[in-house]
Structure formats: C-alpha cells, structure tokens
C-alpha cells in the first residue's frame, strides 16, 4: 500500500470542493452537540464511567494475549469456533474459506471489515454480498468509501438516495426519507432470507465467557447475525475486555458518547443457537445460526500495543464523537484519513497501511486538541500526531 | 495534554526498529512534504528562525524604547509576532502554485518548490511595510502594558526563536538543540522569569522545555497572568461603548488552560460588553486553521472562514485573540468573507483602554 502526498491531497481537495460534505457534517455536528448535552445531563454518571472504561481499556490492551486465549477457549467451550489471524490477507483467506463460493452473504457495518476490504474480496470469490446498514448499503450501491464511522453516508442527501434506490430497486422511490427507509427495508428483507452467511463486526468481546457484544439501532445486525445458517464475527484484538461486567461498562459509554440515551439494540452472542427442549439433549442450530465463527484479527495491532504513545489509539470505542469536533473533518469528512479517520486515526493508518498514508494525515491534523476534549477515553491526539511526525522526520533525516 | 516527554521518547526508542521496518515499506514517497518541512527547519537551525529573518528585523519593534535595562524578568517575544508579515506573503504564494492544492503533476510541485520552498527570500519582496509595522507595534504594546505594572521588566535584543515549529513538525533532535541554545541565552542574561505573549512560546517554556533541557528552571508566565496579578495598578475604560468577543487560541485555552484570565480582564473594562461565542469557547474553542497554513493553505483558510462565522454568532462587533497566528489567519478570513466583524489582538484593546 503506497501513497504519495499528491494522491492523498487530490482526495482531500476533491472533498473540499464538494459543498454537500461540509453542509451535511455541519448539521450533524450541531445536532450531535445538542444530543450530547441532553444525554450527559440526563446520565451525568457517564463521565466518571468513561474514566473507568479508560482504565479497563488500558489494562486490556496490555494483556491482550492472555485475554485472547481465554476468549478463544470459552468460544470453543460454547461450541463456536475461534480463530486468530495475523494479517489482513490471512483474515480474508480464512473468511473466504468459511464462506465458500456462490453464496449469498449479508453483512452488518464493520470498520474492521473495511480495513481488510472484505466485501470486495468475497465478491471476487463469486459471492453475492449485501451491506445491510442503510448508510453502508448506499455506499455499496454508489461504490464509495465511508465518510464517517457511524454515519458512513453522511454526505449523501435524500434526493440522491431516491435516484439511487429507484435505479437499483427498479421502481420509483420518492425523495422522502420515510419512503426511502421503507424501500431499503423491503429490498433487504429478501436478502436476509436468501443469505446462507451473515458477517458482523463486534464492539466488545468479554474474555470470561467469549461473549461478543454488538450495538446498533437499525436492527440489521440482529437479522444478519440471527437469520442465516452461519454467522462469522470479525473483530480486532483491541476489543477484548476481561469480563461481561466490563463489557457492559464499555457498551454504555460507547453508546452514550455516540449521543444515545440507549441504543435500540445490543446483541450479546455467546455461541451458535441451541435447544434442549427435546429430552434435554442439547442440539445446535435451533432458530439462529448453526455455525458460529469468531475471527480475531491482529493486523499489526500487537505492534501498536507496544508503542508507549500510539497504543492509546487502541482504546478507541468508535463512538465517533471526535469527528464532530474536528475542524478539518467538518470540511472534508473521511478524506481526512484512510480507512481510519482524523488525527488519532493516523496511528491506525500507520499500522495498517504504512507511513506513506499516515504521514500526510499526521501533517493535516491541526493538533488543536478538541477531539481529545470530547473523547470519552481521552485519547491524546496531539501526542500521537507528534509521534508520527517524528517518525517521518527521522526517515527524512536518514534519507539525507 | 499533547506534549511528548523525554521518558515517552526513550520508551519509544525501544520500539523504533519495528516502526522503521514499517516506514521502509515506502521507498520514495512524500518528497514534497519533506521539502517544505526541510526548508522551514533548515532556516531555523541555520538562521535561528523558520524564515531566516535577520535579528535586526526581529528586534526592530523595540526601536524608541532605549537600551534594554538589566533585569531578571524579561518579556520574551519568541519572535512570533515579528514573523507574521513574512509568513503572509509566503502562504499567498504557496497557494498560488496550482499544483500544491489542485493536484497537478509532481514535476509542477518540484518546480514550484524550487521557486518557493527553498528560495523563501524571494517571497519577501512582496512584504508590505505597513503590515511589518503593525505586528511590531503589537509587540511594543505588550511591553509597554506590562511595564505599567512592573517597571523592572526588560527585553533581549538578541532573542532566539524558542523552536515551536521544530517541535510541532516532529524534529525533536533539532528542537532539543534549539531549546538548549535558548536556555543558554537565558542563563547568560541572568533571566529568572520570562513573560510570554504568544501561546506557543508559553507552551514551549512551561510544558515542553522542562522535559527536554536539563536544569531548565525559569519561571514562565503569560502576560495576562501578570496583568491580573497587578490588577489594582491598572484602570481600563473604553472611550465609547464597545462589544467584544474572544477567540481562545487552542494552545492557550486547551493546552495551557488559560481562558479565565483574559475574561477577567475584559470584565474589568468599563464600557466594554463581553459576548461569549456560543458553544465554541474556552476549552471548546475552534481552531483558526493557522497550524496547516504552509502545508494546506486552502483548507487552512476555509477553517479560518468557518471560525469567523462562529465568532459572528456572538453578536459582538470586535473579535479579540491572543496569538499572532490566530490573529493573522482570522484577519485574512474576515477580509475574505467581507465580514463586519473586526479582528484585533487582545493587547490592542487593552492599549486603547488603559488609563
């Protein structure tokens, strides 16, 4: 993966000239701040809970290997199958084998899936793959990259959605948000029923039980993980925490800083579906999936965990709050980044794509620090960015 | 927040080999970024400041003050206000290279840089004398104001740039060298207390130097802290009713936690009505865009314009700030937008109102 400042810059400028992006993000930021002040005044304990979560994440990242082993053992005990893969390529290959060919696959939103470019890989193998998160579905149909981690299609207005859906669904869809949501629902229903495989990410994994937690509002992740015969979870090793009670703390802070009092759904998945209703004989593959796989991905996270400064980026809960506070993001959205966004994201970019992408992102950051002000786990972007700039200048000096 | 200490760095060294391995995945990328950075850093190391401006020009602000007295307390300008008039035309010309921001070929960029990045001095031909005078006057105003409360204050005609740009751009070794030079200068002059006027110098001296220079034991103050301490010696009053708002510089408010001091001073001025910017104030202030003005000038300016619109939301007729970079970027943005809002330095208002 190689990039030049020029290529990155071209993407940035193109986004800057797309006025829809700034308009949409401006509106979103305003309502985010309003909602945040409402939810924090209703649940003021969240701030102290966030401090506790920071400690949970610090300790968990420190002992990821131990937590991973425990989680994998527990998943096996629960009659699921757990795998640990080192690289993006290994992850694609493994998931490709688990899925097979000529299958129908439904997918819920996963940043880790984007990281390894999973959808395209499965499509190349000859599978029919559908994103089921509304924003992700729109991007899939537009063949674009996400612009924000929680609202990936934040820059697409309803008129364009109507045009897009009318084309794809071969029927007239009115530029009315209610109608558009309904059209997507009808369109996706059929896919859940036809799909043999559902793929999801995960927000948290509790090692003590191997339980996987997924937060969402649309209900698509429930159907994706519940309807098909096979469910595959792809999750980074930084999502491991020791216990189920830790997981609930992380979950509450995550959804609260994603501006929700409570999300519509949180799924906790411990293994394949089962029943003991006939003669108390436990039988797998009841109403939910029969096959359940959890793929833990490293992809240099273990290297990031060794860096005294950059490891902070692994504490990220993916609440998305920082992005609403970033002045550069407010103009160019996800183009300020590469798969992972804004200043702190440069740490992620460094380890998944190299310094060629990470350096221009680090030098785009204003180091203004407002993201850290918002961050529930106080990830120190200013420090992270300095560290990456220093790596770049070291490389420059060596090159002299 | 946001500073990297020496301990952090030593911890990082252990891990550097892996990181280097990652870095070397890339053979020949980012020549453009490297050149821009090199030009700014080479100047700092060779000529003492990022644009290689002579000491005479940087100390021209003190003309008319007479020789500097001997004192343990100095106003340390950090050379930052004085550099602004040179940065402005440079940024204008960087913006002028189509290739820089609109994605032309690499050849164009290299050509553009040969014209500009390296030959920085060429840009100064367009330096407007009036602007130079304005920023020099601002430095002088700080000095005169502080002298009103502390007549023991002096200045150093051969001041060195504290090196914020080296630190911010990640040149830690060069920065350490510069920081040691500055520390030596302060020791030679017997300085015990520095009073800073720019948030970046304040941050360097107060938060960063102590972990890069052994035995750095100088008291570091921001001038608003000094003014507030001697509040009883000052009387401020505006000749006509004025409404003002405040643009908190990020490094002053968020990094150094100074935002109540300027508000307390403003609230003590008769006939001045202070109006807060909705939401984006104090620790939630919005960046003015200046930090990326040399690398991404068009985005920088767009951010400045967005900030002006936020400041307009206060309903005040004047926006004050306390940082030369914020000041310059917001002035530029206000003029781009034809805004009714007048952008001024905090010290300008104080100089007008001090009785």
């Amino acid at each position: 993966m190689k990039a030049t400042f020029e290529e990155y810059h071209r993407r940035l400028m193109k986004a800057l000239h797309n006025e829809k992006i700034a308009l949409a993000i401006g509106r979103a930021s305003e309502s985010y701040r309003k909602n945040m002040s409402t939810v924090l005044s209703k649940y003021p304990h969240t701030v102290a809970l966030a401090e506790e979560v920071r400690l949970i994440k610090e300790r968990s990242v420190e002992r990821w290997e131990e937590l991973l082993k425990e989680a994998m053992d527990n998943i096996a005990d629960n009659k699921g199958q757990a795998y640990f893969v080192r690289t993006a390529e290994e992850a694609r290959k493994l998931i490709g084998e688990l899925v097979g060919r000529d299958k129908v696959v439904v997918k819920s939103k996963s940043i880790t899936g984007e990281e390894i470019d999973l959808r395209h890989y499965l499509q190349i193998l000859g599978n029919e793959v559908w994103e089921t998160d509304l924003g992700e579905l729109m991007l899939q149909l537009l063949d674009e990259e996400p612009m924000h981690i929680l609202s990936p299609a934040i820059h697409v207005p309803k008129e364009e959605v109507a045009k897009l859906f009318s084309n794809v669904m071969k029927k007239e869809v009115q530029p009315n948000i209610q109608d558009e949501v309904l059209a997507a629902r009808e369109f996706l229903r059929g896919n859940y029923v036809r799909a043999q495989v559902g793929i999801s990410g995960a927000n948290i994994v509790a090692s003590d039980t191997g339980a996987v937690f997924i937060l969402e509002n649309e209900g698509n992740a429930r159907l994706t993980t519940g309807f098909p015969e096979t469910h595959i979870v792809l999750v980074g090793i930084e999502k491991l925490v020791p216990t189920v009670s830790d997981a609930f703390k992380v979950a509450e802070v995550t959804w609260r800083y994603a501006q929700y009092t409570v999300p519509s759904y949180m799924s906790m998945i411990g293994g394949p579906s089962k029943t003991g209703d006939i003669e108390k004989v436990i039988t797998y593959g009841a109403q939910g999936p029969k096959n359940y796989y959890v793929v833990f991905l490293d992809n240099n996270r273990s290297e990031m965990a060794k860096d005294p400064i950059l490891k902070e980026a692994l504490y990220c809960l993916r609440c998305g709050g920082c992005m609403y506070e970033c002045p550069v993001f407010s103009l160019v959205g996800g183009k300020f980044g590469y798969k992972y966004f804004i200043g702190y994201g440069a740490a992620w970019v460094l380890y998944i794509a190299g310094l060629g992408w990470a350096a221009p992102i680090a030098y785009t950051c204003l180091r203004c620090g407002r993201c850290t002000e918002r961050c529930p786990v106080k990830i120190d972007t200013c420090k992270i960015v300095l560290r990456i700039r220093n790596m770049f200048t070291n490389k420059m000096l060596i090159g002299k | 927040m946001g500073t990297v200490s020496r301990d952090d760095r030593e911890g990082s060294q252990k891990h550097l080999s892996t990181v280097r391995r990652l870095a070397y995945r890339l053979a020949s990328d980012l020549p453009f970024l490297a050149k821009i950075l090199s030009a700014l850093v080479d100047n700092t190391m060779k000529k003492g400041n990022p644009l290689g401006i002579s000491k005479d020009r940087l100390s021209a602000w003190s003309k008319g003050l007479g020789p500097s007295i001997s004192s343990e307390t100095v106003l340390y300008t950090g050379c930052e206000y004085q550099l602004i008039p040179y940065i402005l035309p440079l940024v204008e010309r960087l913006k002028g290279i189509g290739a820089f921001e609109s994605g032309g070929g690499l050849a164009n960029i290299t050509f553009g840089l040969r014209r500009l990045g390296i030959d920085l001095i060429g840009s100064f031909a367009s330096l407007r004398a009036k602007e130079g005078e304005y920023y020099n006057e601002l430095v002088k105003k700080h000095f005169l104001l502080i002298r009103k409360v502390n007549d023991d204050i002096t200045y150093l005609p051969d001041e060195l740039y504290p090196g914020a740009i080296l630190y911010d751009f990640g040149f830690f070794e060069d920065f350490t060298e510069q920081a040691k030079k500055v520390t030596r200068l302060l020791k030679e002059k017997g300085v015990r207390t520095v009073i800073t006027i720019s948030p970046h110098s304040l941050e360097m001296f107060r938060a960063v130097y102590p972990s890069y220079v052994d035995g750095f034991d100088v008291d570091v103050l921001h001038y608003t802290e000094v003014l507030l301490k001697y509040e009883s010696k000052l009387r401020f009053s505006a000749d006509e009713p004025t409404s003002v708002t405040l643009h908190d510089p990020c490094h002053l408010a968020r990094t150094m936690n100074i935002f109540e001091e300027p508000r307390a001073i403003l609230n003590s001025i008769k006939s001045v009505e202070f109006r807060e910017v909705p939401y984006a104030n104090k620790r939630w202030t919005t960046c003015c865009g200046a930090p990326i003005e040399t690398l991404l000038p068009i985005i920088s300016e767009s951010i400045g314009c967005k900030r002006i619109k936020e400041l307009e939301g206060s309903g005040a007729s004047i926006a004050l700030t306390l940082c030369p970079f914020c000041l310059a970027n917001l002035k530029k943005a206000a003029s781009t937008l034809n805004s009714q809002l007048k952008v001024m330095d905090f010290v300008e208002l104080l100089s007008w109102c001090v009785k």
Side-chain angles (χ1 to χ4, degrees):
Chain A
M1 192 59 64
K2 192 172 158 179
T4 60
F5 188 64
E6 220 182 319
E7 188 187 334
Y8 166 75
H9 199 258
R10 191 176 44 74
R11 291 154 46 105
L12 216 53
M13 284 306 118
K14 207 176 146 200
L16 184 67
H17 293 128
N18 179 353
E19 283 164 12
K20 278 181 287 183
I21 296 175
L23 189 69
I25 297 177
R27 285 177 188 160
S29 296
E30 206 174 301
S31 70
Y32 172 82
R33 285 168 183 164
K34 239 181 251 157
N35 295 342
M36 269 313 281
S37 101
T38 311
V39 300
L40 285 183
S41 60
K42 192 168 176 195
Y43 302 97
H45 72 278
T46 317
V47 178
L49 190 62
E51 284 170 22
E52 199 185 335
V53 163
R54 158 95 192 194
L55 293 175
I56 293 172
K57 296 297 280 185
E58 276 178 15
R59 288 174 197 146
S60 305
V61 164
E62 198 69 35
R63 44 188 281 249
W64 70 268
E65 274 173 297
E66 201 185 313
L67 295 180
L68 175 68
K69 193 183 170 304
E70 194 188 343
M72 288 179 75
D73 288 348
N74 283 319
I75 291 165
D77 287 350
N78 304 343
K79 301 288 185 266
Q81 287 186 52
Y83 301 87
F84 172 56
V85 288
R86 280 286 179 190
T87 65
E89 202 185 333
E90 272 180 58
R92 281 190 296 264
K93 208 168 151 257
L94 172 67
I95 296 172
E97 281 163 13
L98 295 174
V99 170
R101 288 169 186 273
D102 305 319
K103 300 276 170 52
V104 178
V105 180
V106 281
K107 225 181 126 278
S108 61
K109 184 165 59 191
S110 159
I111 302 167
T112 317
E114 284 290 330
E115 176 186 324
I116 67 166
D117 208 8
L118 185 58
R119 187 179 77 232
H120 287 126
Y121 180 79
L122 294 175
Q123 285 171 329
I124 289 165
L125 290 184
N127 297 295
E128 182 186 332
V129 187
W130 289 104
E131 297 288 350
T132 60
D133 173 85
L134 181 53
E136 287 281 358
L137 174 68
M138 279 150 55
L139 294 182
Q140 178 180 2
L141 298 175
L142 287 165
D143 198 21
E144 279 187 28
E145 297 163 347
M147 270 291 181
H148 183 276
I149 58 170
L150 290 193
S151 313
I154 195 170
H155 58 299
V156 187
K158 63 182 180 217
E159 291 76 14
E160 273 185 42
V161 178
K163 234 192 284 171
L164 181 71
F165 281 4
S166 300
N167 267 338
V168 176
M169 297 165 192
K170 311 260 184 292
K171 62 171 190 178
E172 183 78 13
V173 178
Q174 294 302 316
N176 162 319
I177 296 172
Q178 189 68 53
D179 287 355
E180 290 167 348
V181 172
L182 185 65
R185 178 188 166 103
E186 282 167 5
F187 178 73
L188 287 170
R189 278 288 132 146
N191 292 334
Y192 293 120
V193 180
R194 289 195 302 130
Q196 294 94 342
V197 184
I199 299 180
S200 74
N203 294 83
I204 314 145
V205 183
S207 294
D208 61 352
T209 47
V212 162
F213 293 73
I214 301 168
L215 302 171
E216 60 154 339
N217 287 304
E218 290 181 20
N220 66 306
R222 296 216 135 187
L223 294 169
T224 298
T225 61
F227 219 104
E229 193 183 18
T230 299
H231 174 204
I232 303 172
V233 183
L234 170 67
V235 59
I237 53 171
E238 82 284 6
K239 298 281 169 56
L240 288 156
V241 297
T243 65
V244 167
S245 92
D246 291 329
F248 273 98
K249 288 174 185 167
V250 175
E252 183 176 354
V253 171
T254 305
W255 79 57
R256 197 68 34 77
Y257 277 80
Q259 64 175 313
Y260 297 106
T261 52
V262 68
S264 296
Y265 307 103
M266 177 163 84
S267 309
M268 190 194 84
I269 300 169
S273 64
K274 57 178 184 273
T275 176
D277 280 359
I278 305 175
E279 297 183 6
K280 279 277 163 267
V281 175
I282 303 287
T283 307
Y284 290 89
Q287 300 296 314
K290 183 178 179 188
N291 312 308
Y292 174 66
Y293 307 109
V294 182
V295 179
F296 288 99
L297 176 68
D298 181 350
N299 206 20
N300 282 326
R301 286 165 173 77
S302 55
E303 290 297 322
M304 204 185 326
K306 288 179 199 163
D307 189 287
I309 292 166
L310 302 182
K311 70 176 176 192
E312 281 200 17
L314 292 167
Y315 308 157
C316 178
L317 308 180
R318 315 282 181 222
C319 69
C322 54
M323 289 165 204
Y324 294 115
E325 300 295 350
C326 174
V328 180
F329 189 87
S330 78
L331 294 171
V332 299
K335 300 300 167 188
F336 175 21
Y338 172 76
K339 294 181 192 271
Y340 290 92
F341 306 142
I342 76 170
Y344 89 96
W348 282 85
V349 176
L350 176 71
Y351 287 94
I352 66 158
L355 196 58
W357 277 106
I361 294 166
Y363 281 100
T364 305
C365 176
L366 297 157
R367 289 187 72 244
C368 78
R370 196 162 69 183
C371 51
T372 305
E373 205 62 31
R374 175 61 77 194
C375 179
V377 292
K378 298 288 167 237
I379 295 172
D380 197 334
T381 297
C382 291
K383 236 170 152 175
I384 287 173
V385 162
L386 266 191
R387 170 100 179 96
I388 294 172
R389 289 180 181 183
N390 183 238
M391 286 176 187
F392 180 69
T393 62
N394 281 341
K395 192 183 161 231
M396 263 173 68
L397 297 172
I398 294 162
K400 262 189 185 174
Chain B
M1 179 198 73
T3 58
V4 175
S5 73
R6 207 155 46 166
D7 283 349
D8 286 337
R9 269 190 311 148
E10 276 162 10
S12 309
Q13 294 296 332
K14 289 179 199 151
H15 179 51
L16 207 61
S17 61
T18 324
V19 170
R20 287 255 162 84
R21 189 166 47 75
L22 282 166
Y24 283 127
R25 275 194 200 161
L26 299 127
S28 61
D29 52 337
L30 307 178
F32 178 67
L33 183 55
K35 278 185 187 169
I36 280 269
L37 294 177
S38 298
L40 295 170
V41 170
D42 285 353
N43 272 327
T44 309
M45 298 318 289
K46 286 179 192 144
K47 296 176 182 162
N49 61 73
L51 298 180
I53 309 301
S54 74
K55 274 185 188 168
D56 288 351
R57 290 189 183 198
L58 293 177
S59 62
W61 66 271
S62 61
K63 230 180 351 193
L65 287 178
S68 60
I69 62 163
S70 160
S71 169
E72 291 185 343
T73 305
V74 299
L75 172 113
Y76 206 95
T77 73
C79 310
E80 293 175 60
Y81 276 92
Q82 301 94 304
L83 284 172
I84 298 292
Y86 300 91
I87 293 173
L88 293 173
L90 170 67
V91 170
E92 275 315 301
R93 292 194 54 183
L94 285 171
K95 239 172 24 183
I97 311 179
F100 197 167
E101 294 257 14
S102 61
L106 187 64
N108 277 341
I109 292 176
T110 317
F111 174 71
L113 253 188
R114 206 179 308 131
R115 263 192 325 162
L116 282 166
I118 309 300
D119 179 26
L120 288 170
I121 302 300
S123 310
F124 306 149
S126 55
L127 172 62
R128 280 156 289 184
K130 230 176 121 185
E131 231 141 34
E133 212 173 284
Y134 170 72
Y135 284 94
N136 278 342
E137 271 303 305
L138 290 182
V139 182
K140 197 171 185 172
K141 282 178 176 152
H142 284 97
F143 185 81
L144 294 175
L145 195 62
I146 300 164
R147 201 164 65 177
K148 271 192 181 289
V149 297
N150 179 359
D151 52 19
D152 199 26
I153 188 170
T154 190
Y155 62 94
L156 306 176
D158 43 2
E159 218 185 62
L160 293 168
Y161 173 67
I165 202 173
L166 300 174
Y167 179 77
D168 286 346
F169 281 171
F171 294 86
F172 292 167
E173 279 173 32
D174 299 302
F175 170 73
T176 308
E177 208 179 300
Q178 183 77 1
K180 282 180 179 161
K181 278 189 213 162
V182 174
T183 307
R184 261 201 307 277
L185 175 74
L186 295 175
K187 280 226 165 91
E188 272 165 31
K189 303 282 177 183
V191 175
R192 304 288 312 147
T193 305
V194 294
I195 299 172
T196 56
I197 59 175
S198 143
H200 300 274
S201 294
L202 174 71
E203 181 190 359
M204 288 304 112
F205 287 142
R206 192 181 272 179
V208 182
Y209 271 37
S211 63
Y212 281 79
V213 184
D214 291 328
F216 182 82
D217 61 349
V218 177
D219 282 333
V220 184
L221 295 167
H222 187 253
Y223 80 97
T224 57
E225 294 173 319
V226 178
L227 296 183
L228 208 55
K229 188 174 163 196
Y230 297 105
E231 207 183 6
S232 56
K233 291 195 188 178
L234 290 166
R235 229 170 43 78
F236 293 112
S237 145
D239 291 340
E240 50 187 277
T242 311
S243 62
V244 301
T245 188
L246 201 57
H247 163 77
D248 290 283
C250 298
H251 287 255
L252 191 63
R254 265 191 294 267
T255 317
M256 301 314 298
N257 222 20
I258 293 180
F259 46 83
E260 294 300 356
E261 288 82 350
R263 283 172 175 75
I265 296 170
L266 280 178
N267 286 327
S268 75
I269 307 178
K270 264 194 204 143
S271 303
V272 165
E273 184 202 351
F274 175 59
R275 293 186 185 174
E276 200 72 86
V277 186
Y279 179 81
N281 61 60
K282 301 182 183 175
R283 292 190 66 88
W284 291 98
T285 185
T286 309
C287 179
C288 68
I292 54 173
E293 66 187 348
T294 47
L295 293 171
L296 299 159
I298 293 178
I299 293 188
S300 168
E301 193 177 334
S302 306
I303 292 171
C305 290
K306 281 197 78 169
R307 181 55 174 165
I308 288 294
K309 287 184 186 147
E310 284 180 0
L311 292 166
E312 285 172 346
S314 69
S317 55
I318 298 173
L320 301 171
T321 190
L322 304 88
C323 165
F325 302 101
C326 294
L327 179 67
N329 223 45
L330 292 176
K331 270 183 178 293
K332 201 165 53 184
S335 108
T336 303
L337 291 173
N338 279 322
S339 172
Q340 296 296 303
L341 188 71
K342 194 168 161 45
V343 179
M344 283 171 47
D345 197 282
F346 191 65
V347 83
E348 287 181 86
L349 181 82
L350 298 191
S351 299
W352 276 353
C353 297
V354 72
K355 297 300 163 194

